[in-house]
Amino acid sequence: MNLLQFTIDLAEKAGKIILETEKKHIKITKKAKYDLVTNADKASEKFIMEQIKKHYPNHEILSEEDFFKNKQIPNAEYVWIIDPLDGTTNFAHGLPIFSISIALVHTKKIKSSKNFEYMHGEIIVGVVHAPKMHETFYAAKNKGAYLNGKRIRTSAVKNLENALMVTGFPVGHKNVNVEHFTKMLPKCQALRRLGSAALDLCYIACGRFDSYWEFRLKAWDIAAGSLIAEEAGGIVTDTNGKTLDLFGQDILATNGFLHKEVVKIFSKL
Ligand code: IPD
Ligand code: CA
Ligand code: CA
């Protein structure tokens, strides 16, 4: 089985595990005052990690809940970056907007980012599955982006006035992004907050959204989605318009047409 198909199967099976767990009983615990984790996050992660270890024993894994316990950033040649449930707060409240995000990075060199020593490499595969929506987004480097088997492309919206935008707010830092939000709101057609960064990026990829930005994210929130958005024709950078640093915590993804203008507006803040 090829890598992409393996990853798609993994995400879709993890989705089934999440839905089965939901049917039985969701058990919510808190990692911090506003930061939730559920038994579904843990069951999904356990399954995904076991399967990767079984099929790719030489690869290493960076996965959200595992990292929370072990605080280890892997630096093998191939590293899987996983969010076993992106949108946990939505899931815990019965909102259907959540996903499983799985990416594979091919390490080129070890480099220092703003925040960590990490493997600097190329994301070669990205899959984001939204089990309640029956949608699987995926991309392999230089092979285009797909939704449920159909090629997807970013939107053709060329000005902010016609743009539907999306952003997010970090758990526990409720004042972060308020200034950017307030600045952008009157300039665009409408502005949303859905609650799954991985899906926000995929919705850029398939043209539902025209621009997305967010601060204080983790690599597992954006690794798969950023490849999918790029492969669909979008531009993905940090909020200054510089090369995306997976560990740099901020991101700006647009359909390409709006990128310069959004960067310019943010540069004045
Ligand atoms: C969260 C979601 C949300 C974003 C938060 C993330 P989680 O991930 O991606 O959209 O705004 O910053 O922490 O905690 O549900 O995996
Ligand atoms: Ca997440
Ligand atoms: Ca998560």
Side-chain angles (χ1 to χ4, degrees), residues 175-208:
N175 56 344
V176 170
N177 200 19
V178 170
E179 223 189 330
H180 289 71
F181 186 91
T182 313
K183 184 89 186 175
M184 199 54 83
L185 188 58
K187 295 187 191 294
C188 61
Q189 189 173 72
L191 181 44
R192 305 281 183 251
R193 194 291 190 250
L194 294 192
S196 165
L199 281 179
D200 292 333
L201 285 161
C202 292
Y203 288 6
I204 290 288
C206 67
R208 291 175 188 163

mmCIF file of all heavy atoms in Angstrom, residues 175-208:
data_model
loop_
_atom_site.group_PDB
_atom_site.id
_atom_site.type_symbol
_atom_site.label_atom_id
_atom_site.label_comp_id
_atom_site.label_asym_id
_atom_site.label_seq_id
_atom_site.Cartn_x
_atom_site.Cartn_y
_atom_site.Cartn_z
ATOM 1 N N ASN A 175 -7.019 37.151 24.755
ATOM 2 C CA ASN A 175 -6.811 38.485 24.158
ATOM 3 C C ASN A 175 -5.966 38.435 22.884
ATOM 4 O O ASN A 175 -5.943 39.384 22.120
ATOM 5 C CB ASN A 175 -6.183 39.439 25.185
ATOM 6 C CG ASN A 175 -4.894 38.885 25.737
ATOM 7 O OD1 ASN A 175 -4.623 37.682 25.577
ATOM 8 N ND2 ASN A 175 -4.098 39.718 26.368
ATOM 9 N N VAL A 176 -5.269 37.297 22.668
ATOM 10 C CA VAL A 176 -4.441 37.174 21.462
ATOM 11 C C VAL A 176 -5.350 37.163 20.240
ATOM 12 O O VAL A 176 -6.354 36.460 20.214
ATOM 13 C CB VAL A 176 -3.596 35.872 21.508
ATOM 14 C CG1 VAL A 176 -2.919 35.609 20.172
ATOM 15 C CG2 VAL A 176 -2.575 35.949 22.620
ATOM 16 N N ASN A 177 -5.028 37.957 19.245
ATOM 17 C CA ASN A 177 -5.752 38.027 17.964
ATOM 18 C C ASN A 177 -6.959 38.976 17.972
ATOM 19 O O ASN A 177 -7.567 39.190 16.936
ATOM 20 C CB ASN A 177 -6.201 36.619 17.500
ATOM 21 C CG ASN A 177 -6.508 36.556 16.006
ATOM 22 O OD1 ASN A 177 -6.083 37.417 15.254
ATOM 23 N ND2 ASN A 177 -7.259 35.565 15.588
ATOM 24 N N VAL A 178 -7.294 39.551 19.093
ATOM 25 C CA VAL A 178 -8.459 40.450 19.127
ATOM 26 C C VAL A 178 -8.214 41.675 18.237
ATOM 27 O O VAL A 178 -9.088 42.093 17.475
ATOM 28 C CB VAL A 178 -8.787 40.871 20.586
ATOM 29 C CG1 VAL A 178 -9.826 41.987 20.617
ATOM 30 C CG2 VAL A 178 -9.279 39.663 21.371
ATOM 31 N N GLU A 179 -6.976 42.197 18.298
ATOM 32 C CA GLU A 179 -6.630 43.378 17.500
ATOM 33 C C GLU A 179 -6.717 43.073 15.992
ATOM 34 O O GLU A 179 -7.261 43.853 15.214
ATOM 35 C CB GLU A 179 -5.197 43.781 17.838
ATOM 36 C CG GLU A 179 -5.014 45.274 17.997
ATOM 37 C CD GLU A 179 -3.534 45.614 18.120
ATOM 38 O OE1 GLU A 179 -2.763 44.776 18.634
ATOM 39 O OE2 GLU A 179 -3.165 46.702 17.673
ATOM 40 N N HIS A 180 -6.163 41.920 15.609
ATOM 41 C CA HIS A 180 -6.183 41.520 14.191
ATOM 42 C C HIS A 180 -7.623 41.283 13.730
ATOM 43 O O HIS A 180 -8.011 41.669 12.634
ATOM 44 C CB HIS A 180 -5.343 40.263 13.983
ATOM 45 C CG HIS A 180 -3.874 40.504 14.111
ATOM 46 N ND1 HIS A 180 -3.266 40.766 15.314
ATOM 47 C CD2 HIS A 180 -2.890 40.538 13.176
ATOM 48 C CE1 HIS A 180 -1.971 40.956 15.113
ATOM 49 N NE2 HIS A 180 -1.712 40.821 13.832
ATOM 50 N N PHE A 181 -8.388 40.633 14.579
ATOM 51 C CA PHE A 181 -9.800 40.340 14.282
ATOM 52 C C PHE A 181 -10.571 41.652 14.051
ATOM 53 O O PHE A 181 -11.294 41.812 13.056
ATOM 54 C CB PHE A 181 -10.386 39.559 15.467
ATOM 55 C CG PHE A 181 -11.785 39.060 15.263
ATOM 56 C CD1 PHE A 181 -12.027 37.795 14.728
ATOM 57 C CD2 PHE A 181 -12.879 39.845 15.611
ATOM 58 C CE1 PHE A 181 -13.320 37.325 14.549
ATOM 59 C CE2 PHE A 181 -14.179 39.382 15.428
ATOM 60 C CZ PHE A 181 -14.395 38.121 14.897
ATOM 61 N N THR A 182 -10.374 42.590 14.973
ATOM 62 C CA THR A 182 -11.095 43.865 14.913
ATOM 63 C C THR A 182 -10.712 44.657 13.666
ATOM 64 O O THR A 182 -11.546 45.311 13.047
ATOM 65 C CB THR A 182 -10.762 44.710 16.169
ATOM 66 O OG1 THR A 182 -10.894 43.854 17.293
ATOM 67 C CG2 THR A 182 -11.683 45.890 16.337
ATOM 68 N N LYS A 183 -9.426 44.568 13.294
ATOM 69 C CA LYS A 183 -8.940 45.297 12.114
ATOM 70 C C LYS A 183 -9.524 44.702 10.816
ATOM 71 O O LYS A 183 -9.896 45.419 9.902
ATOM 72 C CB LYS A 183 -7.404 45.189 12.090
ATOM 73 C CG LYS A 183 -6.748 45.947 10.997
ATOM 74 C CD LYS A 183 -6.453 47.344 11.446
ATOM 75 C CE LYS A 183 -5.912 48.177 10.303
ATOM 76 N NZ LYS A 183 -5.743 49.564 10.694
ATOM 77 N N MET A 184 -9.594 43.358 10.764
ATOM 78 C CA MET A 184 -9.993 42.691 9.523
ATOM 79 C C MET A 184 -11.508 42.686 9.329
ATOM 80 O O MET A 184 -11.987 42.751 8.197
ATOM 81 C CB MET A 184 -9.457 41.252 9.532
ATOM 82 C CG MET A 184 -9.395 40.609 8.184
ATOM 83 S SD MET A 184 -8.475 41.582 6.976
ATOM 84 C CE MET A 184 -6.806 41.090 7.347
ATOM 85 N N LEU A 185 -12.256 42.605 10.422
ATOM 86 C CA LEU A 185 -13.719 42.443 10.353
ATOM 87 C C LEU A 185 -14.421 43.432 9.411
ATOM 88 O O LEU A 185 -15.194 43.012 8.545
ATOM 89 C CB LEU A 185 -14.301 42.492 11.769
ATOM 90 C CG LEU A 185 -15.777 42.158 11.926
ATOM 91 C CD1 LEU A 185 -16.090 40.761 11.399
ATOM 92 C CD2 LEU A 185 -16.186 42.272 13.384
ATOM 93 N N PRO A 186 -14.159 44.752 9.535
ATOM 94 C CA PRO A 186 -14.876 45.676 8.639
ATOM 95 C C PRO A 186 -14.396 45.647 7.187
ATOM 96 O O PRO A 186 -15.061 46.179 6.304
ATOM 97 C CB PRO A 186 -14.593 47.054 9.251
ATOM 98 C CG PRO A 186 -13.412 46.878 10.109
ATOM 99 C CD PRO A 186 -13.309 45.449 10.500
ATOM 100 N N LYS A 187 -13.239 45.005 6.939
ATOM 101 C CA LYS A 187 -12.660 45.036 5.580
ATOM 102 C C LYS A 187 -13.134 43.882 4.697
ATOM 103 O O LYS A 187 -13.021 43.941 3.479
ATOM 104 C CB LYS A 187 -11.132 44.991 5.657
ATOM 105 C CG LYS A 187 -10.522 46.218 6.309
ATOM 106 C CD LYS A 187 -9.017 46.167 6.182
ATOM 107 C CE LYS A 187 -8.345 47.219 7.025
ATOM 108 N NZ LYS A 187 -8.629 48.591 6.598
ATOM 109 N N CYS A 188 -13.603 42.780 5.314
ATOM 110 C CA CYS A 188 -13.937 41.608 4.487
ATOM 111 C C CYS A 188 -15.458 41.409 4.449
ATOM 112 O O CYS A 188 -16.204 42.070 5.169
ATOM 113 C CB CYS A 188 -13.244 40.361 5.036
ATOM 114 S SG CYS A 188 -13.723 39.948 6.709
ATOM 115 N N GLN A 189 -15.881 40.482 3.584
ATOM 116 C CA GLN A 189 -17.330 40.231 3.470
ATOM 117 C C GLN A 189 -17.882 39.666 4.780
ATOM 118 O O GLN A 189 -18.906 40.095 5.280
ATOM 119 C CB GLN A 189 -17.558 39.236 2.333
ATOM 120 C CG GLN A 189 -19.004 39.059 1.956
ATOM 121 C CD GLN A 189 -19.094 38.194 0.707
ATOM 122 O OE1 GLN A 189 -18.853 36.983 0.761
ATOM 123 N NE2 GLN A 189 -19.412 38.797 -0.414
ATOM 124 N N ALA A 190 -17.171 38.676 5.337
ATOM 125 C CA ALA A 190 -17.563 38.093 6.623
ATOM 126 C C ALA A 190 -16.375 37.342 7.200
ATOM 127 O O ALA A 190 -15.460 36.945 6.468
ATOM 128 C CB ALA A 190 -18.745 37.158 6.440
ATOM 129 N N LEU A 191 -16.415 37.136 8.514
ATOM 130 C CA LEU A 191 -15.288 36.518 9.225
ATOM 131 C C LEU A 191 -15.824 35.458 10.177
ATOM 132 O O LEU A 191 -16.740 35.728 10.956
ATOM 133 C CB LEU A 191 -14.536 37.638 9.969
ATOM 134 C CG LEU A 191 -13.296 37.360 10.785
ATOM 135 C CD1 LEU A 191 -12.332 36.431 10.080
ATOM 136 C CD2 LEU A 191 -12.605 38.683 11.111
ATOM 137 N N ARG A 192 -15.263 34.253 10.117
ATOM 138 C CA ARG A 192 -15.749 33.122 10.918
ATOM 139 C C ARG A 192 -14.707 32.628 11.902
ATOM 140 O O ARG A 192 -13.520 32.855 11.720
ATOM 141 C CB ARG A 192 -16.125 31.949 9.992
ATOM 142 C CG ARG A 192 -17.120 32.306 8.901
ATOM 143 C CD ARG A 192 -18.530 32.363 9.465
ATOM 144 N NE ARG A 192 -19.513 32.626 8.426
ATOM 145 C CZ ARG A 192 -20.182 33.766 8.298
ATOM 146 N NH1 ARG A 192 -19.966 34.761 9.131
ATOM 147 N NH2 ARG A 192 -21.079 33.926 7.341
ATOM 148 N N ARG A 193 -15.164 31.826 12.871
ATOM 149 C CA ARG A 193 -14.274 31.101 13.769
ATOM 150 C C ARG A 193 -14.899 29.722 13.916
ATOM 151 O O ARG A 193 -15.943 29.567 14.562
ATOM 152 C CB ARG A 193 -14.219 31.831 15.120
ATOM 153 C CG ARG A 193 -13.107 31.415 16.065
ATOM 154 C CD ARG A 193 -13.224 30.048 16.635
ATOM 155 N NE ARG A 193 -12.251 29.849 17.704
ATOM 156 C CZ ARG A 193 -11.201 29.043 17.595
ATOM 157 N NH1 ARG A 193 -10.986 28.349 16.504
ATOM 158 N NH2 ARG A 193 -10.375 28.915 18.629
ATOM 159 N N LEU A 194 -14.274 28.697 13.267
ATOM 160 C CA LEU A 194 -14.893 27.365 13.275
ATOM 161 C C LEU A 194 -14.401 26.462 14.391
ATOM 162 O O LEU A 194 -15.142 25.609 14.871
ATOM 163 C CB LEU A 194 -14.639 26.646 11.941
ATOM 164 C CG LEU A 194 -15.250 27.200 10.667
ATOM 165 C CD1 LEU A 194 -15.122 26.187 9.546
ATOM 166 C CD2 LEU A 194 -16.714 27.563 10.842
ATOM 167 N N GLY A 195 -13.107 26.548 14.752
ATOM 168 C CA GLY A 195 -12.619 25.744 15.876
ATOM 169 C C GLY A 195 -11.818 24.505 15.522
ATOM 170 O O GLY A 195 -11.547 23.683 16.395
ATOM 171 N N SER A 196 -11.443 24.344 14.252
ATOM 172 C CA SER A 196 -10.486 23.285 13.882
ATOM 173 C C SER A 196 -9.526 23.880 12.857
ATOM 174 O O SER A 196 -9.891 24.086 11.695
ATOM 175 C CB SER A 196 -11.198 22.059 13.305
ATOM 176 O OG SER A 196 -10.260 21.217 12.637
ATOM 177 N N ALA A 197 -8.312 24.164 13.302
ATOM 178 C CA ALA A 197 -7.324 24.800 12.412
ATOM 179 C C ALA A 197 -7.072 23.945 11.174
ATOM 180 O O ALA A 197 -6.938 24.467 10.058
ATOM 181 C CB ALA A 197 -6.018 25.021 13.177
ATOM 182 N N ALA A 198 -7.012 22.631 11.363
ATOM 183 C CA ALA A 198 -6.754 21.722 10.233
ATOM 184 C C ALA A 198 -7.846 21.878 9.174
ATOM 185 O O ALA A 198 -7.565 21.940 7.972
ATOM 186 C CB ALA A 198 -6.669 20.284 10.724
ATOM 187 N N LEU A 199 -9.104 21.973 9.624
ATOM 188 C CA LEU A 199 -10.209 22.139 8.666
ATOM 189 C C LEU A 199 -10.228 23.539 8.064
ATOM 190 O O LEU A 199 -10.559 23.703 6.887
ATOM 191 C CB LEU A 199 -11.553 21.837 9.335
ATOM 192 C CG LEU A 199 -11.891 20.352 9.502
ATOM 193 C CD1 LEU A 199 -13.236 20.185 10.196
ATOM 194 C CD2 LEU A 199 -11.907 19.625 8.156
ATOM 195 N N ASP A 200 -9.864 24.548 8.845
ATOM 196 C CA ASP A 200 -9.784 25.908 8.289
ATOM 197 C C ASP A 200 -8.882 25.911 7.057
ATOM 198 O O ASP A 200 -9.213 26.490 6.014
ATOM 199 C CB ASP A 200 -9.223 26.890 9.326
ATOM 200 C CG ASP A 200 -10.170 27.124 10.501
ATOM 201 O OD1 ASP A 200 -11.393 26.974 10.322
ATOM 202 O OD2 ASP A 200 -9.680 27.455 11.600
ATOM 203 N N LEU A 201 -7.736 25.236 7.175
ATOM 204 C CA LEU A 201 -6.789 25.180 6.044
ATOM 205 C C LEU A 201 -7.363 24.397 4.862
ATOM 206 O O LEU A 201 -7.193 24.776 3.702
ATOM 207 C CB LEU A 201 -5.465 24.553 6.512
ATOM 208 C CG LEU A 201 -4.599 25.495 7.356
ATOM 209 C CD1 LEU A 201 -3.558 24.711 8.159
ATOM 210 C CD2 LEU A 201 -3.920 26.537 6.478
ATOM 211 N N CYS A 202 -8.079 23.307 5.166
ATOM 212 C CA CYS A 202 -8.681 22.516 4.074
ATOM 213 C C CYS A 202 -9.792 23.295 3.389
ATOM 214 O O CYS A 202 -10.021 23.132 2.181
ATOM 215 C CB CYS A 202 -9.235 21.200 4.630
ATOM 216 S SG CYS A 202 -7.937 20.103 5.183
ATOM 217 N N TYR A 203 -10.484 24.143 4.144
ATOM 218 C CA TYR A 203 -11.561 24.945 3.547
ATOM 219 C C TYR A 203 -10.984 26.077 2.689
ATOM 220 O O TYR A 203 -11.633 26.550 1.767
ATOM 221 C CB TYR A 203 -12.479 25.499 4.638
ATOM 222 C CG TYR A 203 -13.369 24.457 5.297
ATOM 223 C CD1 TYR A 203 -13.247 23.095 5.000
ATOM 224 C CD2 TYR A 203 -14.339 24.828 6.228
ATOM 225 C CE1 TYR A 203 -14.047 22.142 5.605
ATOM 226 C CE2 TYR A 203 -15.156 23.884 6.837
ATOM 227 C CZ TYR A 203 -15.007 22.544 6.533
ATOM 228 O OH TYR A 203 -15.808 21.610 7.135
ATOM 229 N N ILE A 204 -9.748 26.495 2.990
ATOM 230 C CA ILE A 204 -9.026 27.374 2.054
ATOM 231 C C ILE A 204 -8.751 26.591 0.770
ATOM 232 O O ILE A 204 -8.981 27.067 -0.346
ATOM 233 C CB ILE A 204 -7.682 27.864 2.666
ATOM 234 C CG1 ILE A 204 -7.910 28.856 3.813
ATOM 235 C CG2 ILE A 204 -6.772 28.463 1.592
ATOM 236 C CD1 ILE A 204 -8.394 30.217 3.400
ATOM 237 N N ALA A 205 -8.299 25.341 0.952
ATOM 238 C CA ALA A 205 -7.915 24.503 -0.198
ATOM 239 C C ALA A 205 -9.082 24.304 -1.167
ATOM 240 O O ALA A 205 -8.896 24.324 -2.378
ATOM 241 C CB ALA A 205 -7.386 23.159 0.283
ATOM 242 N N CYS A 206 -10.294 24.099 -0.635
ATOM 243 C CA CYS A 206 -11.408 23.790 -1.549
ATOM 244 C C CYS A 206 -12.233 25.031 -1.881
ATOM 245 O O CYS A 206 -13.290 24.927 -2.503
ATOM 246 C CB CYS A 206 -12.281 22.676 -0.992
ATOM 247 S SG CYS A 206 -13.181 23.128 0.484
ATOM 248 N N GLY A 207 -11.746 26.209 -1.484
ATOM 249 C CA GLY A 207 -12.362 27.453 -1.932
ATOM 250 C C GLY A 207 -13.553 27.921 -1.103
ATOM 251 O O GLY A 207 -14.221 28.882 -1.461
ATOM 252 N N ARG A 208 -13.816 27.245 0.032
ATOM 253 C CA ARG A 208 -14.936 27.714 0.880
ATOM 254 C C ARG A 208 -14.545 29.000 1.585
ATOM 255 O O ARG A 208 -15.361 29.895 1.783
ATOM 256 C CB ARG A 208 -15.282 26.630 1.910
ATOM 257 C CG ARG A 208 -15.894 25.403 1.276
ATOM 258 C CD ARG A 208 -16.118 24.279 2.271
ATOM 259 N NE ARG A 208 -16.523 23.070 1.571
ATOM 260 C CZ ARG A 208 -16.478 21.861 2.094
ATOM 261 N NH1 ARG A 208 -16.054 21.685 3.331
ATOM 262 N NH2 ARG A 208 -16.861 20.818 1.389
#
